[in-house]
Structure formats: structure tokens, C-alpha cells
Amino acid sequence: MEQFLVDKFGRKHDYLRISLIERCNLRCHYCMPEDGIQLRDKSEFMSQEELFKIVDEFVALGIKKIRLTGGEPLIKKNFAEILKHLASLGVELNITTNGILLDKYWDDLKAANVKSLNISIDSLEKDKFNAITRRNYFDRVYQNIITAVEKGFDVKLNAVLIKNENDGEIIDFIELTKKYPFSVRFIEFMPFDGNKWDWSKTVSYETVLSLVNFEYGDKLKQLQTEPNGTSRNFQVKGYKGSFGIISSVTNPFCDSCNRIRLTADGKIKNCLFSEEETDLLTALRKGKDVKHLIFESINSKHKERAGLKAFEAKDFKTRNRSMISIGG
Ligand code: SF4
């Protein structure tokens, strides 16, 4: 009998996000701690064979969609091999990338039937982009975004909004969708280890909504939210593209959560904010069955945001990894 990963709130988990690597060719300050993260021995991470074994278990438990994240997944040496193997499993494959190396993998992505690319770009201003990422790749990223659209990929642009840093560009991003059919997603800044998160830096769902309502008025229409969707989507009438707001901090969307995360060191997080993790890799290396560990993790999932207190609470605290070792 086919088994599914259904938690005690009736949510069926069929979407696996895999962080392939804890390294990146950017240093975004809301993701990578200022002093970087401690580099760890290769043996602490899943080998290709171990990754495939664990993914096979998940697919057998009803996973239908896989997203590859990082760090930056495209810097993984055997990325093309991993992509090819996962494409053979008959699941929907998606990628979240910073876009720098996309031009190396167009053929591999097409061959693996990858249709959707989420590309991170937090500013349309070169200097600000370089300041946020602490690297100088704006031109290459921007060119790869345009090329991805031209090659027919379904492109989503992920922009993490931080108050007084890039929130002044919300309308500029939306105006890009007049010409290009991509979906801009404004992501609320979230608390992770080492990113100096502070409630006051958050640009809330309501703030974005009132700004765009003021700017576009009745030219704005709300779009259907995708099943299990994380983004509330809108479109300016007559524009080719759309935009959305992902509001985990001020307006969470946990009711329809279908996501589970696998980290590069072989642990699963049943929620982006979960402080508890389940170690599959150690069990696998001891020849133990990992299926029951996966079920245990799903059964212990909280209804909302890993049971964390309200983020605006004065004494709000969380002990989580840095974003680079979760992959969003
Ligand atoms: S916060 Fe956790 S439970 Fe809520 S949608 Fe995100 S991953 Fe799912």
C-alpha cells in the first residue's frame, strides 16, 4: 500500500527541498554570517550515493516535487550528475539559485526537464546588489535572468526585503514585470543564525500591499494562490508578469504546508524554523532504516512555524542554523 507523509494536522508532505551544499559564491548579509560559517570536513556531508539513497526513500513515501537549493547548488561539483539522476525519478524538479553559473547549465537543466527557476536578486541597482551580496556579479546575474526568460524557463525572482535597504525598489521590481513574464516574489526578512535579524528591519506583507495599492489602485488584481503556495500573488493589469509576497514572519501560510527539508549533512527539518532536526545520515551509515525517522519527524511537526513565539515578541528568540545551511 502506498505510504504518504501526513502530519497530525492532515498536511500531506510531497515536496522535498534539498540543500546540496553549505557553500556559496556570494556572501549575502541576510544569509551568510559576517564571519562566514565554519567549513566542515567532507565526511560530514552526504556523498552522492547517500543522497540518492535518502531521496529514493522520500520518493517511495510520496514526494512528488524536489527543489535543489544550497548555499548555491550550482557550485556543487557533481551538480549535473545529481540533476540527471533526480530527473530519472519522475518527480518535478526545481532550482533555487543566485543565477551566477546558470549559463554553464542551460543544456543540463533542459535535459532534466527543469521548467522553473527561482533566481535570487535583491536589488536592481548594481552598487546596492554588490553591497548586499558582498560580491560583484550583478551584470552576469541580470544577463542570466533575461536569458532564462528567452530560453522559456518559468522564472521567479526572489528578493528579500530589508527596511531602508532595498524596500525603495519595490515598484522598480514590479515595473520590470511590464516587459518580462516573470514573477517577482518579495520575501520577508527572516531570523536565522548570524543574520542580525530584527523585527524592525522587516518589511511586512501589509506594508508592501498598501504601497502597491497606492501606486496601482484598481489596475491591481489579486491572483489565485497556488495549492500549498507560499506566495500571495498579484498582477498589474496589462503587465506580462506578476509579483507576490512571501510573509513567513507577519502573515504565515502554514495551514497548507507540504514542505520538508533535507540538509547537506543529511538531517531533516520538518519546518524552516524547526530547531529540532532528525539525523538520517548517521542512521543510514549504520545500516539502519531511515523511513521511520522520516515519519517521526513528520509526526512531531508543529502546526505553525515550529511552535515559535510571535516574532514581534520582545523576548523572541530562535536557535536555528544560518540560512546558507538550510537553503530557504
Ligand atoms: S514556517 Fe514551517 S510550517 Fe510554516 S510554511 Fe514554513 S516550513 Fe511550513
Side-chain angles (χ1 to χ4, degrees), residues 16-21 45-59 66-69 76 78-79 81-83 85-86 89 93 261-267 280-281 284-285 290:
L16 179 65
R17 298 175 65 104
I18 305 174
S19 165
L20 286 182
I21 188 167
F45 298 101
M46 293 181 289
S47 66
Q48 179 169 302
E49 195 202 351
E50 289 165 335
L51 169 67
F52 292 171
K53 277 191 183 149
I54 290 176
V55 170
D56 287 350
E57 294 283 0
F58 275 106
V59 172
I66 290 179
R67 177 173 297 282
L68 299 180
T69 69
K76 180 94 176 154
N78 53 345
F79 176 75
E81 265 172 83
I82 292 172
L83 199 62
H85 174 81
L86 296 180
L89 302 177
L93 260 185
R261 290 166 172 84
L262 177 64
T263 60
D265 57 357
K267 297 192 177 69
L280 300 185
L281 186 57
L284 185 78
R285 287 180 176 173
V290 298

Side-chain angles (χ1 to χ4, degrees), residues 47-228:
S47 66
Q48 179 169 302
E49 195 202 351
E50 289 165 335
L51 169 67
F52 292 171
K53 277 191 183 149
I54 290 176
V55 170
D56 287 350
E57 294 283 0
F58 275 106
V59 172
L61 291 171
I63 290 293
K64 297 275 180 282
K65 179 176 171 182
I66 290 179
R67 177 173 297 282
L68 299 180
T69 69
E72 170 52 36
L74 275 61
I75 68 168
K76 180 94 176 154
K77 286 203 181 58
N78 53 345
F79 176 75
E81 265 172 83
I82 292 172
L83 199 62
K84 193 169 176 198
H85 174 81
L86 296 180
S88 70
L89 302 177
V91 294
E92 179 193 331
L93 260 185
N94 298 307
I95 315 284
T96 295
T97 170
N98 61 29
I100 296 169
L101 297 177
L102 274 174
D103 48 286
K104 263 182 69 178
Y105 292 106
W106 297 127
D107 298 342
D108 299 287
L109 293 164
K110 286 287 179 188
N113 202 24
V114 171
K115 293 196 174 55
S116 165
L117 295 172
N118 288 28
I119 305 171
S120 306
I121 181 165
D122 303 305
S123 177
L124 299 173
E125 298 165 17
K126 190 170 177 171
D127 294 346
K128 198 185 296 175
F129 175 95
N130 296 346
I132 293 171
T133 62
R134 298 183 275 203
R135 291 291 182 274
N136 182 8
Y137 285 116
F138 180 82
D139 296 333
R140 187 162 176 187
V141 170
Y142 195 80
Q143 185 48 57
N144 279 341
I145 289 171
I146 304 305
T147 307
V149 171
E150 288 162 358
K151 286 184 179 291
F153 288 98
D154 166 17
V155 175
K156 294 186 175 75
L157 301 186
N158 287 353
V160 175
L161 290 180
I162 298 180
K163 198 170 280 174
N164 304 328
E165 190 157 3
N166 60 349
D167 53 340
E169 294 183 60
I170 291 171
I171 302 302
D172 300 338
F173 270 107
I174 296 172
E175 282 304 302
L176 265 187
T177 68
K178 191 174 188 175
K179 183 176 174 193
Y180 296 107
F182 40 54
S183 173
V184 175
R185 290 116 60 81
F186 299 114
I187 302 174
E188 286 183 344
F189 181 30
M190 294 176 274
F192 293 105
D193 188 39
N195 72 355
K196 300 195 177 82
W197 178 84
D198 184 298
W199 174 256
S200 66
K201 294 178 188 164
T202 303
V203 182
S204 72
Y205 174 81
E206 290 307 329
T207 304
V208 177
L209 211 51
S210 57
L211 178 78
V212 293
N213 273 319
F214 178 78
E215 182 74 22
Y216 297 107
D218 54 16
K219 282 192 346 183
L220 196 65
K221 64 179 178 186
Q222 178 145 19
L223 302 176
Q224 195 87 24
T225 299
E226 291 160 24
N228 311 113

